Amino acid sequence: MAAPVKSKVDGAVGAVQHLTIGKAINLALRTAMEANDKVIVLGEDVGKLGGVFRITDGLQKDFGEQRVLDTPLAESGIIGTAVGLAVRGFRPVCEIQFEGFIFPGFDQIVSQVAKLHYRTQGRVKVPMVIRVPFGGGIGAVEHHSESPESLFAHVAGLKVVSCSNPVDAYWMTRQAIDCDDPVLLFEPKRLYHSGNLRAEVDTTATPDPLFASRVVRTGDAATLVAYGPSVKVCLDAATAAQEEGTSLEVIDLRTLSPLDLDPVFESVRRTGRLIAVSEAPSESSLTSEIAMRVQQECFYSLEAPVLRVTGFDTPYPPAKLEEDYLPDLDRVLHTVDRSLAW
Amino acid sequence: MSSPEQWTHPEPGAGPAATAAEPTPEQVIAGLRATTEGGAELTQLLTPEGERVASAQFDPYVSDVDDEALRNLYRDMVLVRRADRESNAMQRQGQLGIWVPLLGQEAAQIGSGRALRPSDMAFPSYREHGVAWTRGVDFRELIGIFRCSDHGGWDFRHHGFHPYTIVIGNQVLNATGYAMGQKFEGKVGDDNGEATIVYFGDGATSQGDVHEGFVWSAVYDAPVVFFCQNNQWAISEPTERQSRLPLYQRARGYGFPGIRVDGNDVLACLAVTRWALDECRHGNGPVLIEAFTYRMDAHTTTDDPTRYRLSDELEEWKLKDPIERVRAHLARGGGADQEFFDKIDAEADSFAAELRDFVFNMPDPPPERIFRNVYAEPSPVLEAQRREYLAYLDGFAGSEH
């Protein structure tokens, strides 16, 4: 997998390229398709247009219409046919245009994608990836800014991951495609083209495992755990807190199912405090699960209850109100203060 | 294909009124006519009386079917019916959790199933025990589903028979995707091409997944035969609850051929399915077959058809029995004698007895089975759950619990 690749994005040369999250995913799809001709990309507008976010830009031109399928406009069709292609031996990568449109395909995901392997006692593998741009902050209309990842993490048989930076965007896409289980990849859409998140992506490096959390900043006063777009919020909050002398540890969860909470437990045993941050509504969500597991494993280490900074238990509001809805640096710092004051 | 001008629209007042407690005599008659007559476009090679009907288009597809082949088809249907009846009885005796009867649909399933080649793939729903039989899946391999001891774990690649799908219509999209794969791999284009067949019922035609399967297959010229067994009833809902026009005519709206075959005529089902598969093999894209048949028994053993359909209708359909017409044809033409029929009946009896013996002695799976094969790659969270539960059970070792 770590062989040098021919692919280049933006005319970059060599194995190391300076990329945004969007370009990193594009490069990952490209290199995966070069490495294995069973990898195909399908979705609405992914061909000529390159996807509404241009993540699949140029792929159809280079790989043809049988590797990059501009599909009819129906999500159940995209996912349901991908199941059949996977059973046939392909490794389909479905693009769902926006997370709010995944629900027509929810039946196929829950009833077939997640259960075929179990139903057949392992005879049928479903090695497919469902890419889902998710999260808010883009000033969009309804159904374009939600965070439904907990609904999928709750389904046995699915694996769910989320990237927060270009290096992970590249490697998690590659690893998700290589995984023999179905993987949903939740991509932080508002960071796709974020120039200040550009990073050096070395396509010859040895990546971290796909289903592992990672400490992305060390600290000792409290632990912040987040995934996807909220990781950057937490890192910014930690930078601001440091200026006031408070050292915060930040953990990028990366894998939402299976959860890898060992690094979180370790961290909380040192800091005694945990704040879980996510754009999703809080009730019955991943942050609920994290809080439950941490109290189970770190009961004697906790100096304060686990606190959360999340979206509210409401539908996503009109975008004029999303700054109130979304966890931001101030809400995170305010919650850190509450924890420290316990 | 007929033109839209020839489509018949239901007369106002015909068909069951949603609010009527009792159907009017006119509605009863209209309902009987609608469900027992396949119409002028019904493709039939064997009449209910066992007379052979010539067909310029479809005779070539069964030119190899001699008396011996017909006897084999007869045997298929008798054995499958016998296993079906035995399974129904075993459910009544508490040995199976549920049974899904195929009584009446033997010709549709055996005829279409025997049209397939080993390299083809069949996607069933959950009533296709007859198709399973033609694909070499033993009843003992699928009865675990109904014994509630597994979800069906036969070797789908070896048999060319995908796992059962219980969610209505899901498999139509999965089959379409599989067929797209056959095409992308270049397995389509001549006599040796591969094809996929997918089975669903009249009720499923209302599902979005079936519509999307039709759309996808048309757009990608997928080599898939949509085999709709219109058995007239989706549990308690008659076909007119699903469609205003004959189901096969829907294909026209998607841009591929649709054909209605007598689903109780094994020879016609074999011929029409061979033709449709040939269309797919040669790269001419999808075909919709509506096999016009009847569900002679309940939807499942939990159902009570006497609450929603008339016994007159059942009596009408008994006259169209799929097995009896082959028997009559063979007997009349000297293709089989009483000795043959007795031999098949005896084989069916021992086949059922073996199945019965197998079911009565089926062990329950161990609790550890709950945790097995959720993922292809291990999940530490699940592994921890498994260890914890098995350790908990070990605590009861030696005691009754």
Side-chain angles (χ1 to χ4, degrees):
Chain A
M1 198 162 99
V5 294
K6 299 182 296 236
S7 297
K8 297 182 186 51
V9 173
D10 286 352
V13 178
V16 180
Q17 302 183 37
H18 196 60
L19 302 174
T20 58
I21 288 176
K23 293 290 188 193
I25 297 168
N26 177 274
L27 181 65
L29 294 171
R30 185 173 281 282
T31 53
M33 292 175 82
E34 280 170 357
N36 181 351
D37 63 11
K38 290 295 184 190
V39 177
I40 59 171
V41 168
L42 64 158
E44 295 153 15
D45 309 303
V46 298
K48 279 199 173 65
L49 182 67
V52 291
F53 291 106
R54 309 293 181 270
I55 304 303
T56 55
D57 186 39
L59 296 180
Q60 190 181 69
K61 182 169 66 70
D62 293 345
F63 293 98
E65 290 185 9
Q66 278 199 355
R67 303 279 311 276
V68 181
L69 280 64
D70 266 326
T71 63
L73 207 164
E75 287 73 15
S76 192
I78 294 167
I79 292 160
T81 54
V83 169
L85 284 157
V87 168
R88 179 71 191 184
F90 287 79
R91 298 185 94 85
V93 183
C94 305
E95 175 175 302
I96 298 298
Q97 204 153 77
F98 285 87
E99 78 293 316
F101 305 145
I102 199 169
F103 299 104
F106 197 61
D107 174 25
Q108 283 285 345
I109 293 171
V110 172
S111 306
Q112 305 307 328
V113 175
K115 295 191 175 80
L116 260 172
H117 191 264
Y118 189 71
R119 180 180 307 144
T120 61
Q121 299 189 52
R123 287 191 193 274
V124 177
K125 288 188 171 61
V126 192
M128 61 187 275
V129 177
I130 302 174
R131 294 182 39 244
V132 191
F134 84 123
I138 61 164
V141 293
E142 201 185 359
H143 311 296
H144 290 69
S145 307
E146 298 165 13
S147 297
E149 58 278 5
S150 300
L151 300 173
F152 299 92
H154 193 67
V155 178
L158 302 177
K159 289 185 170 169
V160 186
V161 297
S162 184
C163 56
S164 67
N165 62 80
V167 175
D168 276 352
Y170 177 82
W171 284 114
M172 290 169 96
T173 304
R174 289 297 309 261
Q175 291 164 315
I177 292 169
D178 285 341
C179 182
D180 275 344
D181 287 310
V183 180
L184 279 90
L185 175 56
F186 280 87
E187 300 167 356
K189 71 166 82 78
R190 77 163 173 272
L191 304 179
Y192 272 150
H193 309 303
S194 177
N196 59 12
L197 272 186
R198 271 179 192 270
E200 302 295 320
V201 177
D202 182 353
T203 57
T204 60
T206 303
D208 284 347
L210 178 58
F211 301 110
S213 302
R214 184 197 297 134
V215 177
V216 290
R217 182 184 174 116
T218 54
D220 51 26
T223 305
L224 302 178
V225 63
Y227 56 90
S230 299
V231 174
K232 183 178 183 302
V233 175
C234 290
L235 286 169
D236 291 348
T239 302
Q242 194 67 54
E243 288 169 13
E244 295 175 3
T246 305
S247 155
L248 296 177
E249 183 137 309
V250 180
I251 296 176
D252 184 347
L253 203 55
R254 298 176 79 249
T255 176
L256 313 185
S257 178
L259 280 168
D260 173 33
L261 294 179
D262 286 347
V264 179
F265 302 150
E266 251 173 74
S267 176
V268 171
R269 287 185 192 117
R270 278 187 294 100
T271 65
R273 300 170 200 279
L274 180 68
I275 293 101
V277 184
S278 160
E279 293 183 16
S282 60
E283 194 168 357
S284 306
S285 69
L286 277 160
T287 54
S288 315
E289 177 69 14
I290 293 165
M292 184 274 156
R293 299 267 293 279
V294 165
Q295 66 80 27
Q296 195 175 27
E297 295 292 327
C298 311
F299 191 65
Y300 290 112
S301 305
L302 285 167
E303 302 285 348
V306 178
L307 298 178
R308 294 190 279 179
V309 186
T310 65
F312 303 112
D313 290 315
T314 69
Y316 198 86
K320 289 292 184 195
L321 296 166
E322 68 183 343
E323 283 185 23
D324 292 288
Y325 181 90
L326 293 169
D328 64 1
L329 183 144
D330 289 333
R331 267 174 72 197
V332 171
L333 290 177
H334 173 71
T335 308
V336 169
D337 289 345
R338 282 175 53 214
S339 177
L340 292 173
W342 212 273
Chain B
M1 300 298 298
S2 65
S3 66
E5 296 73 50
Q6 293 171 281
W7 294 348
T8 52
H9 292 281
E11 292 297 318
T19 52
E22 289 288 332
T24 63
E26 292 76 21
Q27 287 171 329
V28 171
I29 292 162
L32 282 175
R33 197 166 48 239
T35 55
T36 57
E37 291 177 18
E41 296 209 7
L42 187 77
T43 299
Q44 190 179 70
L45 299 181
L46 267 185
T47 67
E49 296 73 33
E51 300 288 350
R52 183 72 166 79
V53 182
S55 161
Q57 185 181 357
F58 293 110
D59 282 350
Y61 288 93
V62 286
S63 58
D64 62 321
V65 180
D66 54 13
D67 282 342
E68 189 190 359
L70 262 181
R71 286 196 298 270
N72 288 338
L73 292 169
Y74 175 85
R75 174 180 171 269
D76 282 338
M77 291 196 288
V78 171
L79 292 186
V80 162
R81 177 173 291 189
R82 188 69 180 79
D84 174 77
R85 294 297 81 199
E86 193 67 28
S87 301
N88 214 61
M90 285 193 288
Q91 192 281 332
R92 295 286 182 246
Q93 293 154 5
Q95 290 296 322
L96 299 180
I98 193 169
W99 181 247
V100 182
L102 59 74
L103 187 72
Q105 297 176 225
E106 296 87 352
Q109 295 196 14
I110 298 299
S112 62
R114 287 294 180 207
L116 296 163
R117 296 179 189 167
S119 56
D120 297 328
M121 181 61 80
F123 281 74
S125 63
Y126 48 77
R127 200 184 300 275
E128 279 66 45
H129 325 312
V131 185
W133 167 260
T134 67
R135 303 304 278 164
V137 178
D138 194 307
F139 261 75
R140 289 172 295 193
E141 283 186 281
L142 63 79
I143 203 105
I145 298 173
F146 305 100
R147 175 83 170 180
C148 303
S149 57
D150 66 45
H151 294 322
W154 54 84
D155 186 339
F156 80 103
R157 278 198 184 85
H158 170 74
H159 291 296
F161 189 71
H162 190 264
Y164 274 12
T165 298
I166 289 172
V167 179
I168 304 297
N170 274 183
Q171 76 280 10
V172 174
L173 273 171
N174 305 156
T176 302
Y178 189 92
M180 286 163 64
Q182 290 173 315
K183 188 183 175 193
F184 293 165
E185 288 175 5
K187 304 284 189 188
V188 173
D190 56 31
D191 274 344
N192 299 317
E194 289 184 21
T196 294
I197 190 167
V198 57
Y199 292 87
F200 54 98
D202 45 298
T205 61
S206 296
Q207 283 281 356
D209 276 10
V210 175
H211 163 73
E212 290 174 39
F214 289 176
V215 169
W216 249 257
S217 65
V219 167
Y220 295 102
D221 293 327
V224 56
V225 175
F226 298 108
F227 196 91
C228 174
Q229 289 171 90
N230 176 1
N231 66 13
Q232 314 305 326
W233 294 95
I235 308 189
S236 66
E237 304 286 3
T239 313
E240 52 268 36
R241 272 269 173 263
Q242 320 294 343
S243 184
R244 261 193 182 191
L245 84 168
L247 294 171
Y248 75 95
Q249 290 182 6
R250 283 195 178 172
R252 192 164 173 272
Y254 296 92
F256 52 82
I259 184 167
R260 175 177 272 188
V261 64
D262 183 343
N264 286 16
D265 173 353
V266 70
L267 201 57
C269 287
L270 178 66
V272 167
T273 310
R274 279 177 170 180
W275 163 77
L277 289 164
D278 264 8
E279 287 292 298
C280 289
R281 292 186 208 295
H282 287 272
N284 298 332
V287 177
L288 170 64
I289 298 172
E290 179 192 2
F292 198 79
T293 181
Y294 195 73
R295 198 192 74 208
M296 296 299 284
D297 200 340
H299 165 68
T300 71
T301 41
T302 63
D303 175 33
D304 177 8
T306 63
R307 294 173 69 100
Y308 54 81
R309 65 186 191 187
L310 296 162
S311 55
D312 289 15
E313 187 180 281
L314 196 65
E315 293 307 313
E316 281 279 327
W317 277 95
K318 277 182 184 170
L319 302 174
K320 302 173 190 288
D321 188 81
I323 297 178
E324 284 309 311
R325 69 178 71 182
V326 178
R327 185 188 173 106
H329 180 78
L330 283 168
R332 191 178 305 117
D337 54 16
Q338 192 55 45
E339 190 187 350
F340 167 78
F341 297 124
D342 291 346
K343 186 174 70 118
I344 298 298
D345 287 345
E347 187 186 356
D349 285 344
S350 60
F351 178 55
E354 279 171 30
L355 180 64
R356 186 178 188 79
D357 186 53
F358 178 82
V359 168
F360 274 63
N361 291 296
M362 267 180 99
D364 287 344
E368 189 270 337
R369 164 74 176 81
I370 296 169
F371 303 94
R372 216 185 300 150
N373 289 311
V374 178
Y375 299 99
E377 299 174 9
S379 161
V381 178
L382 190 60
E383 190 51 31
Q385 269 183 23
R386 187 184 73 90
R387 277 198 308 272
E388 189 181 345
Y389 185 65
L390 295 182
Y392 164 78
L393 287 183
D394 282 347
F396 294 101
S399 66
E400 290 294 319
H401 72 284

